[in-house]
Amino acid sequence: MLAMTLIEPRGRLQPVERALPQPGPGQLRVRVTACAVCRTDLHVVDDELPGIPHPIVPGHEIVGIVDARGDGTTTPAGARVGIPWLGHTCGHCSYCSEGRENLCDEARFTGYQLDGGYAEYAVADERFCLPLPASLDDAHAAPLLCAGLIGYRSLVMAGDARRLGIYGFGAAAHIVAQVAHHQGRECYGFVRPGDTNAAAFARELGCCWAGDSNQPPPEALDAAIIFAPAGELVPAALGAVRKGGTVVCGGIHMSDIPSFPYARLWGERVLRSVANLTRRDGVEFLALAPRIPIRTEVTVFPLEQANDALDALREGRLNGAAVLVPGHK
Ligand SMILES: [Zn+2]
Ligand SMILES: [Zn+2]
């Protein structure tokens, strides 16, 4: 099979011919039909996360059709499943037993420590595979698996905020804005200064206001979610929320946060991060998505052009999400 592989830190992905992976006990093998591209994939390629093994196949928003099954599995061959970021947990540590498996010390992640979906086939532990809503085709369902899930977890952490700011209008934001709008919240979209295209996209998705991230919103916000990996947005967002407001950092990596006066945090403002996802987040969100219904905007790239998709994401040239499709011409 073809696997777009990161051979060494900060390299370009290389097309590598590999033997088909064989599913072990409890594992499913899928023929990958779509894999969305996440900003985290850039952090993997750029070696900004600790302990990345090389070679590694990135990709953790995988839609595939089960084509081989390990011992003890029950999912039928031919079923469509989603493979998300969370690929393994220990099942017995304090976090796992408290319903916070996203924080498990022994967790392993797809496309980071486990080979992911930038390939024609992938294997995954059946217990971590997720059911997908039938209403979306493969390419449009793929971004739900991280942009959607992490976005949803971030939104839950923002509490019942009515006025919600969203910093960085990429794949996660374009899904979260739809959920927030559905819940009757007012969304304020913050984009890279001067990015009028992203601002227009934010308004299209129901934001009542969209503007540059270095500008204050017209009204003080109840909460804000930061998806862009830029540390300077933390003091900006704290300055945009009212007393008692929450700022949620939804990304896995951010540039350093500059120092700021304590007055920005004072007034019981809360600053927190969101890490990974639980399977429960996945099941909840994927059941909610077709009821809204969530629509995703995708740009399809052939699997072989994974580097072009990553470049487009890095340069902010996408509305919504890039999705890799094997065999796409
Ligand atoms: Zn654990
Ligand atoms: Zn992701």
Side-chain angles (χ1 to χ4, degrees):
M1 69 163 187
L2 170 68
M4 295 301 291
T5 307
L6 182 67
I7 309 282
E8 56 181 11
R10 293 177 294 280
R12 302 285 282 176
L13 301 182
Q14 303 294 327
V16 173
E17 272 303 320
R18 290 190 171 191
L20 277 189
Q22 295 305 319
Q27 286 185 323
L28 301 173
R29 183 176 73 199
V30 301
R31 177 174 57 78
V32 177
T33 54
C35 182
V37 175
C38 176
R39 179 161 293 279
T40 298
D41 303 341
L42 283 179
H43 298 316
V44 168
V45 170
D46 293 345
D47 208 40
E48 289 170 327
L49 305 179
I52 301 169
H54 297 91
I56 184 76
V57 179
H60 56 269
E61 304 185 83
I62 308 169
V63 178
I65 305 294
V66 174
D67 91 317
R69 308 160 55 214
D71 290 345
T73 56
T74 56
T75 308
R80 185 174 81 147
V81 297
I83 302 174
W85 171 245
L86 185 68
H88 171 83
T89 56
C90 79
H92 54 72
C93 70
S94 59
Y95 294 116
C96 284
S97 23
E98 288 162 4
R100 297 197 288 170
E101 64 180 358
N102 59 309
L103 301 179
C104 175
D105 285 330
E106 290 172 42
R108 287 161 65 80
F109 301 101
T110 313
Y112 170 20
Q113 293 136 337
L114 306 166
D115 279 332
Y118 285 22
E120 290 175 308
Y121 291 82
V123 294
D125 184 325
E126 181 185 48
R127 296 168 299 171
F128 292 84
C129 294
L130 293 168
L132 292 168
S135 54
L136 291 174
D137 66 25
D138 299 339
H140 289 85
L144 299 184
L145 286 161
C146 183
L149 287 182
I150 297 287
Y152 176 70
R153 188 174 173 87
S154 303
L155 183 62
V156 171
M157 296 301 179
D160 56 6
R162 193 170 68 83
R163 290 200 185 107
L164 177 73
I166 302 179
Y167 286 79
F169 228 86
H174 102 288
I175 296 174
V176 168
Q178 296 174 60
V179 182
H181 192 62
H182 172 77
Q183 293 172 334
R185 305 178 196 243
E186 281 173 19
C187 285
Y188 296 74
F190 295 84
V191 303
R192 286 185 214 206
D195 191 345
T196 51
N197 172 47
F201 185 52
R203 278 189 217 95
E204 244 172 68
L205 288 161
C207 287
C208 62
W209 176 89
D212 293 350
S213 58
N214 55 4
Q215 300 296 317
E219 311 266 7
L221 305 172
D222 299 314
I225 304 174
I226 303 175
F227 291 119
E232 67 268 20
L233 294 176
V234 170
L238 282 169
V241 299
R242 65 185 198 131
K243 286 184 285 188
T246 299
V247 173
V248 180
C249 300
I252 191 171
H253 174 82
M254 218 183 217
S255 56
D256 286 354
I257 300 170
S259 72
F260 54 89
Y262 177 56
R264 290 259 164 147
L265 186 62
W266 168 249
E268 301 198 343
R269 289 176 181 84
V270 173
L271 174 63
R272 68 168 305 155
S273 64
V274 154
N276 315 317
L277 69 141
T278 64
R279 282 172 277 181
R280 191 173 158 187
D281 295 328
V283 170
E284 264 180 37
F285 173 69
L286 292 168
L288 173 66
R291 295 207 305 268
I292 293 181
I294 296 288
R295 292 174 213 290
T296 55
E297 181 139 338
V298 304
T299 305
V300 170
F301 291 80
L303 173 61
E304 294 83 346
Q305 290 174 22
N307 287 307
D308 299 332
L310 288 169
D311 290 344
L313 175 59
R314 190 189 296 284
E315 290 157 21
R317 283 190 270 119
L318 298 162
N319 271 353
V323 177
L324 303 179
V325 172
H328 184 81
K329 298 294 171 217

